[in-house]
Amino acid sequence: MIEISNFTTNVIDEHFVKKVIQKVLKGEKVEDGNLSVAFVGQGRIKALNWKYRGKNRTTDVLAFSEKDVSIEPLPSKIFPFHFQPTYKGL
């Protein structure tokens, strides 16, 4: 299962994001599992980076295994980034 959450004011093309994720997972030969992706703003990513890594700055990506940490109300995988859906062939 792929879960997409948008905690920003930006419009996210969830269908496009899921297609990209599915293509990556297929390329990595991952056939089963759960993945949650959350788009978050600079303030939230800075707070999470401080809480879980002790670094008081923003970052591009934070990734967590469900076994390692439980984040509420955010999903278990956090990938904040900005993208332009200009990829062809997806």
Side-chain angles (χ1 to χ4, degrees):
M1 179 178 77
I2 298 171
E3 178 184 2
I4 308 293
S5 299
N6 183 9
F7 296 99
T8 73
T9 58
N10 299 319
V11 176
I12 302 296
D13 184 344
E14 290 187 26
H15 178 72
F16 173 77
V17 173
K18 284 184 181 181
K19 285 182 81 170
V20 170
I21 292 168
Q22 289 167 342
K23 191 165 189 141
V24 170
L25 293 175
K26 183 178 180 181
E28 293 296 319
K29 297 178 179 37
V30 175
E31 297 181 14
D32 189 30
N34 295 313
L35 178 71
S36 295
V37 177
F39 294 87
V40 299
Q42 296 293 315
R44 184 172 249 174
I45 195 67
K46 183 177 179 181
L48 290 167
N49 202 23
W50 171 252
K51 181 175 182 176
Y52 292 101
R53 299 181 62 226
K55 299 185 186 290
N56 192 26
R57 60 180 179 262
T58 60
T59 186
D60 293 334
V61 174
L62 288 174
F64 301 96
S65 167
E66 290 181 42
K67 298 173 188 170
D68 295 336
V69 66
S70 176
I71 299 174
E72 295 298 332
L74 293 178
S76 60
K77 297 275 184 188
I78 302 174
F79 296 98
F81 63 95
H82 300 284
F83 67 90
Q84 297 290 331
T86 57
Y87 302 101
K88 303 281 187 215
L90 294 175

